[in-house]
């Protein structure tokens, strides 16, 4: 409660302050800066969707600002649009062009994506410059701000309009990003493979996120046009693009407040810097503070030398540079660069990330309370296990070049069974899982789930048809907490239509989902770590979390790929117990295991692979005595002794 009051209270206070400033200070220049601040706030919230949440370097945002601005400008001058329809047109241009750019570009990753968006910026500049008939080319485009519903807006009125729009965008984005949708785009940043395997389409979420960010860029562009009432193509190129990116990184990624702080820096700092005397005094004071706190930290051994030295050096450079550089413009750029460098090195979470941690401690804010877990009967209702055929693999093959990883495998999994799949390293077990779950299409052969063909080569569609899996090489959403990892996969809870989610009216559903996720964590013995980030869990806990996440799909068939690999003995015992409990609820399981004892303990039927083929099948007791199995496993122990071979090739990213 206190947490909610503080956070919402701070938001209310911010907007109340923004709304009343023009009443308190009647200064045209200050009003112009504040208007720009609101516009850039919207712009940076949009940019943060790709840079922060998707984790991609987006160099195309400035183009959407420009295209939105021109769309509004041309709409007003050529087509006589009013303000609302011109702003809608600007947003639509961002949305449509954003989707079109996203479709091809988001198949790319990292530097290639950055280059694709960079070329989009170059192209849109050329377009605006060359289409003189429409845009006025390099001459620029002048427009007058149209009235809003018949009222001519004063500068003050226009500022309020921008602030109201910023508040709306803020609220909508807050609701959206904290919903299932926002978690999905964070999940896909950490592991696209697992996101698809949990039945959450990676590509559609990426495209939608990029289009949404671009739409906000377009909206900001429309406001930009009405603010300056004069547009030139060269305003929307590299300089501004770099400044915008810097704003997001400085302010703090993945945070609305961060975007706002970033916008304030971008808008206000150049003006603050114009008074060099004041700035020199401030940076001198900063140097003094860095010196004092650095030396104190070193003496008390609470900071490492690098941590103490970095702020001293950067403040020293500020003071020294200020004395040396005469040209004010150069000086400003230098300070921006230096600030960016120090924040990237010293505060990787940005100013807001740093401030948030500080404020949480100052106000002793407790994390949001978790609901009581749902009952397990509700989350995983028991199903009858009738022993009917669940999964049929018929002459399945998967070759990698010359490697026949799976080479004509036929096997039948019956409903309600724990079906063991064993075999020496490299015998093709993981490849079977990868083919069933759709990571790879089979080279040939058929797969039927309850008599219906399984989708081939699509993790997403295989997951949707009832298959859930874990990964031999863990694929968790490492930056998300344990409970969020489970929530991403949770199936059949989220039903509210998008408009309700945007308005924040899907809270009951979210509470219900959390209770369900918590029940699954409890089943895995992870309830107390619900709020720990996946990457901070112990290795054993991470393995259990993958199972909890797969169970959240409420699957017909659960495939566990070496769940005991690397576990300590007590954890193996707990694992056996947990798998048994999951099985008791009627979930059919394929268990891939290296340890014969785990298999004997749990499985009713075991299929043994060697060289991608079945060499034996039957009860654990029978296959253990089978001569071919004995031979395969003895060979394996020899091989293991020769070289501690790595377990399996890493999955392609
Ligand atoms: P297991 O899980 O039984 O240890 P795998 O299914 O991981 O075995 O591997 C079976 C064989 O297929 C190995 O020889 C392995 O090198 C090969 N293999 C598996 N995945 C790939 C891949 N993506 N590309 C090439 N070879 C692969
Ligand atoms: Mg394997």
């Amino acid at each position: 409660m206190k947490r909610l009051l503080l956070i919402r209270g701070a938001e209310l206070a911010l907007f109340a302050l923004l709304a009343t400033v023009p009443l308190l200070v009647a200064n045209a220049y200050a009003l112009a800066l504040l208007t720009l601040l609101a516009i850039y706030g919207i712009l940076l919230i949009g940019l943060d969707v790709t840079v922060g949440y998707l984790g991609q370097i987006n160099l195309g945002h400035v183009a959407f600002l420009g295209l939105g601005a021109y769309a509004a400008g041309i709409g007003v001058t050529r087509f006589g649009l009013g303000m609302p329809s011109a702003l809608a047109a600007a947003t639509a241009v961002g949305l449509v062009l954003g989707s079109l750019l996203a479709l091809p570009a988001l198949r790319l990753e990292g530097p290639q994506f950055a280059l694709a968006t960079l070329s989009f910026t170059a192209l849109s500049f050329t377009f605006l410059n060359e289409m003189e008939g429409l845009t006025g080319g390099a001459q620029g485009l002048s427009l007058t701000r149209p009235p809003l519903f018949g009222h001519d807006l004063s500068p003050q009125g226009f500022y309020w309009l921008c602030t109201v729009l910023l508040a709306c965008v803020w609220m909508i984005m807050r609701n959206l990003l904290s919903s299932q949708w926002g978690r999905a785009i964070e999940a896909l940043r950490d592991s696209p493979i697992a996101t698809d395997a949990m039945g959450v389409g990676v590509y559609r979420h990426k495209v939608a996120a990029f289009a949404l960010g671009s739409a906000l860029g377009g909206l900001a562009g429309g406001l930009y046009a009405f603010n300056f009432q004069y547009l030139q193509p060269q305003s929307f190129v590299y300089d501004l693009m770099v400044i915008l990116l810097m704003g997001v990184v400085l302010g703090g990624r993945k945070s609305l407040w961060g975007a706002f702080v970033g916008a304030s820096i971008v808008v206000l700092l150049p003006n603050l810097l114009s008074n060099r005397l004041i700035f020199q005094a401030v940076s001198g004071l900063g140097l003094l503070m860095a010196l004092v706190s650095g030396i104190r930290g070193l003496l008390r051994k609470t900071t490492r030398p690098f941590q103490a030295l970095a702020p001293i050096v950067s403040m020293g450079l500020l003071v020294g540079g200020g004395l040396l550089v005469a040209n004010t413009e150069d000086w400003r750029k230098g300070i921006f660069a230096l600030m960016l460098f120090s924040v990237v090195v010293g505060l990787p979470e940005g100013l807001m990330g740093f401030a948030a941690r500080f404020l949480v401690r100052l106000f002793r804010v407790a994390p949001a309370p978790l609901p009581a877990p749902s009952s397990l009967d509700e989350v995983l209702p028991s199903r009858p296990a009738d022993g009917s055929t669940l999964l049929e693999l018929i002459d399945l093959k998967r070759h990698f070049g010359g490697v026949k990883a799976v080479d004509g495998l036929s096997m039948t999994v019956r409903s309600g069974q724990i079906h063991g799949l064993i075999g020496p390293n490299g015998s093709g077990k993981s490849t079977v899982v990868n083919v069933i779950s759709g990571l790879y299409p089979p080279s040939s052969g058929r797969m039927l789930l309850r008599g219906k063909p399984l989708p081939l080569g699509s993790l997403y569609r295989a997951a949707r048809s009832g298959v859930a899996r874990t990964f031999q090489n863990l694929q968790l959403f490492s930056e998300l907490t344990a409970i969020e990892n489970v929530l991403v996969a949770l199936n059949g809870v989220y039903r509210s239509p998008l408009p309700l989610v945007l308005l924040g009216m899907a809270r009951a559903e979210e509470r219900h989902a959390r209770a369900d996720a918590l029940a699954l964590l409890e089943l895995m013995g992870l309830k107390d770590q619900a709020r720990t980030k996946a990457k901070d869990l112990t290795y054993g806990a991470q393995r259990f979390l993958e199972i909890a996440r797969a169970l959240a799909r409420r699957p017909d068939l659960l495939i566990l790929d070496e769940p005991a690999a690397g576990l300590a003995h007590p954890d193996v015992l707990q694992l056996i117990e947990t798998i048994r409990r999951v099985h008791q609820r009627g979930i059919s399981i394929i268990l891939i295991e290296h340890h014969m004892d785990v298999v004997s303990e749990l499985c009713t039927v075991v299929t043994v692979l060697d060289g991608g083929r079945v060499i034996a099948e039957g009860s654990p007791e029978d296959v253990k005595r089978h001569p071919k199995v004995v031979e395969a496993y003895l060979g394996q122990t020899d091989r293991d002794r020769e070289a501690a071979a790595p377990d399996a090739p890493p999955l392609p990213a």
Side-chain angles (χ1 to χ4, degrees):
M1 199 60 205
K2 177 175 167 193
R3 174 192 172 85
L4 204 67
L5 273 181
L6 279 173
I7 295 174
R8 295 291 168 272
E11 285 175 357
L12 275 178
L14 172 70
F15 282 101
L17 180 71
L18 284 179
T20 44
V21 169
L23 301 176
L24 304 176
V25 222
N27 176 330
Y29 182 65
L31 191 67
L33 284 183
L34 283 171
T35 310
L36 201 57
L37 172 60
I39 296 173
Y40 276 14
I42 296 176
L43 187 64
L44 290 198
I45 289 176
L47 182 58
D48 192 31
V49 177
T50 32
V51 174
Y53 286 83
L54 277 185
Q56 300 275 7
I57 307 281
N58 174 5
L59 303 177
H61 207 58
V62 72
F64 292 107
L65 178 76
L67 292 167
Y70 271 91
I74 293 168
V76 168
T77 50
R78 284 293 176 92
F79 303 102
L81 294 185
M83 191 172 309
S85 34
L87 289 178
T91 313
V93 162
L95 188 71
V96 172
L97 294 179
S99 325
L100 289 180
L101 172 63
L103 285 172
L106 282 170
R107 298 222 175 262
L108 312 173
E109 286 290 326
Q112 276 119 325
F113 175 80
L115 282 180
T117 50
L118 182 68
S119 42
F120 180 75
T121 299
L123 266 179
S124 78
F125 168 75
T126 311
F127 171 81
L128 294 176
N129 217 18
E130 289 299 316
M131 297 293 287
E132 278 180 29
L134 199 61
T135 64
Q139 302 286 305
L141 178 75
S142 297
L143 61 140
T144 39
R145 186 155 60 216
L148 179 69
F149 303 124
H151 296 285
D152 276 322
L153 288 182
S154 64
Q156 229 173 45
F158 182 67
Y159 164 72
W160 275 321
L161 174 70
C162 293
T163 310
V164 167
L165 285 175
L166 173 65
C168 292
V169 166
W170 184 298
M171 187 194 78
I172 285 176
M173 292 304 282
R174 186 224 300 133
N175 293 334
L176 188 65
L177 292 171
S178 61
S179 75
Q180 183 68 348
W181 193 86
R183 271 195 299 270
I185 62 173
E186 283 204 72
L188 70 86
R189 183 196 56 213
D190 287 347
S191 171
I193 288 184
T195 309
D196 265 335
M198 292 305 128
V200 180
V202 164
Y203 190 55
R204 68 193 65 194
H205 277 90
K206 268 185 164 180
V207 171
F210 189 83
L212 173 71
S214 307
L216 291 180
L219 172 64
L223 293 171
Y224 183 100
F226 297 144
N227 184 45
F228 291 109
Q229 305 184 44
Y230 175 69
L231 301 173
Q232 267 191 315
Q234 53 267 43
S235 314
F236 306 108
V237 284
Y238 312 108
D239 291 5
L240 183 57
M241 180 181 76
V242 172
I243 290 181
L244 295 181
L245 265 183
M246 201 174 74
V248 169
V249 174
L250 278 176
R253 274 165 287 183
K254 293 203 294 169
S255 151
L256 296 164
W257 281 96
F260 184 78
V261 170
S264 319
I265 293 174
V266 168
V267 173
L268 301 180
L269 202 65
N271 296 282
L272 293 181
L273 290 185
S274 38
N275 191 328
R276 293 184 62 164
L277 194 65
I278 294 183
F279 197 86
Q280 279 298 354
V282 172
S283 52
L285 204 66
L287 177 62
L288 204 66
M289 279 166 60
L291 271 172
V292 170
S293 79
I295 291 173
R296 206 175 58 172
L298 283 179
L299 287 180
R300 294 185 184 174
K301 296 200 166 45
T302 49
T303 42
R304 280 176 286 147
F306 169 75
Q307 281 172 319
L309 209 61
I312 298 178
V313 170
S314 44
M315 288 319 269
L317 279 175
L318 266 190
V319 176
L323 296 175
L324 287 177
V325 182
N327 180 321
T328 303
E329 192 50 35
D330 285 345
W331 187 68
R332 266 188 218 176
K333 283 186 180 156
I335 288 180
F336 263 123
L338 202 60
M339 272 184 72
L340 187 62
F341 186 78
S342 347
V343 168
V344 169
V345 173
L347 306 174
E349 295 159 52
L351 294 173
M352 206 51 220
F354 173 75
R357 259 188 298 144
F358 174 75
L359 290 174
V360 161
R361 249 184 299 154
L362 185 69
F363 289 104
R364 302 214 171 88
V365 188
L370 291 169
S374 313
S375 93
L376 208 53
D377 287 321
E378 215 178 291
V379 186
L380 291 177
S382 286
R383 323 172 191 194
D386 52 8
S388 60
T389 302
L390 179 65
L391 176 76
E392 246 184 305
L393 306 179
I394 305 158
D395 197 23
L396 198 67
K397 293 188 180 161
R398 172 70 212 198
H399 299 172
F400 296 102
V403 181
K404 296 179 173 175
V406 177
D407 195 27
L409 167 81
S410 295
M411 90 184 215
T412 303
V413 179
R414 297 190 179 283
S415 129
Q417 271 182 342
I418 304 185
H419 193 125
L421 187 60
I422 65 172
N425 266 343
S427 56
K429 303 178 301 291
S430 292
T431 306
V432 173
V433 180
N434 289 340
V435 171
I436 298 174
S437 65
L439 181 60
Y440 306 137
S443 304
S444 68
R446 296 205 300 148
M447 304 189 289
L448 304 174
L449 188 72
R450 291 196 195 292
K452 275 191 269 171
L454 258 180
L456 304 182
S458 162
L459 283 167
Y460 170 72
R461 292 200 296 137
R464 291 256 152 175
S465 50
V467 176
R469 64 167 296 181
T470 63
F471 292 85
Q472 183 176 351
N473 306 310
L474 292 169
Q475 289 278 347
L476 286 168
F477 309 128
S478 49
E479 291 292 327
L480 299 187
T481 62
I483 193 169
E484 285 166 343
N485 266 269
V486 177
L487 283 170
V488 169
L490 202 62
N491 188 5
V493 177
Y494 295 99
R495 295 203 184 83
S496 299
L498 192 63
L500 286 192
V501 174
L502 295 185
L503 293 173
M505 288 160 70
R507 299 262 157 75
E509 188 176 86
E510 175 72 17
R511 249 194 315 277
H512 187 149
R514 281 181 182 268
D516 285 6
L518 210 56
L520 291 171
L521 288 176
E522 194 173 34
L523 176 68
M524 292 294 143
L526 290 172
K527 185 165 162 251
D528 296 334
Q529 279 117 295
R531 288 206 203 88
T532 311
K533 278 191 182 180
K535 64 173 184 188
D536 298 329
L537 291 171
T538 62
Y539 180 75
Q542 293 183 346
R543 284 232 166 256
F544 282 104
L545 179 56
E546 272 224 344
I547 302 178
R549 186 180 65 179
L551 281 175
R553 296 290 310 157
R554 305 175 220 246
D556 293 329
L557 176 65
L558 172 67
I559 312 180
L560 303 174
D561 193 353
E562 303 216 15
L567 291 192
H569 187 62
D571 284 345
V572 174
L573 296 183
Q574 193 201 334
L575 179 75
I576 292 176
E577 192 42 45
T578 321
I579 293 178
R580 207 169 264 146
R581 288 181 61 193
V582 171
H583 175 235
Q584 276 161 7
R585 312 207 72 83
I587 293 182
S588 318
I589 299 172
I590 295 182
L591 174 66
I592 293 176
E593 218 3 283
H594 208 64
H595 302 91
M596 206 50 197
D597 42 339
V598 177
V599 174
S600 311
E601 191 81 25
L602 287 168
C603 302
T604 35
V605 190
V606 179
T607 303
V608 190
L609 291 188
D610 194 22
R613 291 163 174 274
V614 178
I615 56 168
E617 192 168 67
S619 72
E621 290 313 308
D622 290 346
V623 299
K624 248 197 261 182
R625 282 195 295 268
H626 198 290
K628 278 193 184 170
V629 178
V630 174
E631 191 190 330
Y633 268 82
L634 281 181
Q636 171 73 22
T637 33
D638 288 347
R639 254 178 276 156
D640 276 358
R641 233 175 281 128
E642 276 164 26
D647 222 342
L651 290 167

